[in-house]
Amino acid sequence: MKQTLREGLNFLSKNVVNILILVMSISCVLLFVKKNKNDKTKAEDLFELYMKANENEELKGGKEEGQDGSSMQKAFLDEKSKTLKLSKIVKLTNTVKIFIFSYPWEYTHFGLGICKHIKFNGPNQQGKIKGKWNDREDREKDAKEIYRSYTPIYVDRKKKEVHFVIRIYSPDEHFVDGGKMSVQLEKMRNNQTVKIAGPFGVLDYKGSNKFSYLTKAVQIKRHIVMIAGGTGMTPFFRLIKHMLLFDAREGEQPFVTLIYANRNEEEILLKGVFDEYERTFERFKAVYSVDECLDPTKRDTFENVGYLTEDLLRKYILKYERLGIQVDSSDTLILMCGPPPMTAFLKKILKEDIQMENVITL
């Protein structure tokens, strides 16, 4: 018995390091699995939050009024430099994350109108090759700070939280430096801050189908078409939600068509929310286009595979295709947000070839 015990102790003493490594490895694996499971649950919970009407959601910017009609003017955003504190990051896809920031409690509301955006700014970065970024001439090489525009998809005035869907452009073989701002944001940890300013933007939704565009008032009569590329969807998310869930139900409500283009099916953001809206509201139609379909078995589930075409635009802009209702150009408003080459190309088609009257690029 003593001999067996002695041999066991000798074995443990000789292999204690290996045993500790094994235990730590198992613990790390379990922690990783638990973390991924929690992230998935959080993402699903957020989808539920984004999908439904929430009395705490802020859907207008500017001034809020008290019960006596007086203006409280306690908006956080005032076009001056501010800071947001990171509360958490939730993984949405391999390249996209939901960033939840908080703003100070002393403000009654955030103050960002629908379709408006804010600018994040951070220290400029040096590329792997001096004077270049992603092997191209770096136009910001002499700047101390850089600015990037982002639009939140959800603002909670009770919790003082602002949610952003942000694509992370990590360095790879094609883009050796990645994205200047998104890589910095990904490295942030909870309770760290980022400098921002706002609100900015040429378009502001006032509710009840009315917009303010620069200095002009714009009224939607029958049909609003939103054309988005990638994360260019974010300015439209709150707009679609407001029009479907919060606008007054009296009178005729406009048809809403979202034409949403992405590089592939894995990059379609918040598709579950848009699909649920389409099932719920007859006056909403989501049209998905991908440059390439990674899964051949899903090819038929997309309206278009390849770049957006004039034929596709005509199909969904000249009428509300879901109900087959023809709509005049003067009764249609087209909004676009996405990569500048895409929006410039589409604007030319819309204005010159299809001869649409009301086209606005955000």
Side-chain angles (χ1 to χ4, degrees), residues 77 130 193 197 221 223 238 274 319 330:
L77 296 177
K130 188 175 181 180
T193 60
K221 296 180 180 179
H223 191 197
R238 292 170 73 212
F274 295 129
K319 64 179 179 180
S330 59

Side-chain angles (χ1 to χ4, degrees), residues 38-55:
N38 288 340
D39 280 349
K40 183 177 180 181
T41 302
K42 290 176 183 176
E44 290 172 349
D45 290 344
L46 289 175
F47 269 48
E48 288 293 318
L49 176 67
Y50 301 152
M51 190 181 302
K52 299 176 181 178
N54 185 335
E55 63 180 7

Side-chain angles (χ1 to χ4, degrees), residues 53-87:
N54 185 335
E55 63 180 7
N56 297 322
E57 182 171 3
E58 180 182 321
L59 287 166
K60 61 181 180 179
K63 301 176 182 179
E64 287 197 349
E65 293 184 350
Q67 293 181 350
D68 60 355
S70 62
S71 174
M72 295 186 290
Q73 298 191 49
K74 291 185 180 179
F76 174 66
L77 296 177
D78 58 5
E79 298 185 6
K80 298 177 182 178
S81 180
K82 304 275 188 173
T83 58
L84 290 176
K85 181 185 292 185
L86 181 65
S87 298

Side-chain angles (χ1 to χ4, degrees), residues 115 117 201-204 212-214 225-229 232 235-236 333-351 357-362:
C115 295
H117 64 269
V202 298
L203 193 70
D204 191 7
S212 173
Y213 174 57
L214 297 175
V225 180
M226 305 172 204
I227 305 175
F236 300 141
L333 174 64
I334 301 172
L335 305 177
M336 294 193 296
C337 186
M342 182 195 90
T343 55
F345 171 72
L346 295 178
K347 187 172 184 178
K348 184 175 184 297
I349 294 176
L350 292 166
K351 298 286 284 186
E357 299 178 20
N358 308 307
V359 181
I360 297 174
T361 302
L362 274 61

Side-chain angles (χ1 to χ4, degrees), residues 19 169 193 200 206 211 225 236 248 262 266 273 291 309 349:
I19 293 172
Y169 295 95
T193 60
F200 300 105
K206 300 298 186 181
F211 286 91
V225 180
F236 300 141
N262 281 277
E266 293 180 355
V273 178
D291 296 346
T309 65
I349 294 176

Side-chain angles (χ1 to χ4, degrees), residues 187-237:
K187 293 178 181 178
M188 289 185 67
R189 296 295 177 261
N190 290 353
N191 296 318
Q192 289 185 325
T193 60
V194 62
K195 290 194 292 184
I196 61 101
F200 300 105
V202 298
L203 193 70
D204 191 7
Y205 185 59
K206 300 298 186 181
S208 301
N209 310 326
K210 296 178 182 178
F211 286 91
S212 173
Y213 174 57
L214 297 175
T215 59
K216 299 187 299 183
V218 179
Q219 176 78 42
I220 305 171
K221 296 180 180 179
R222 293 294 306 281
H223 191 197
I224 178 170
V225 180
M226 305 172 204
I227 305 175
T231 51
M233 168 277 301
T234 55
F236 300 141
F237 186 80

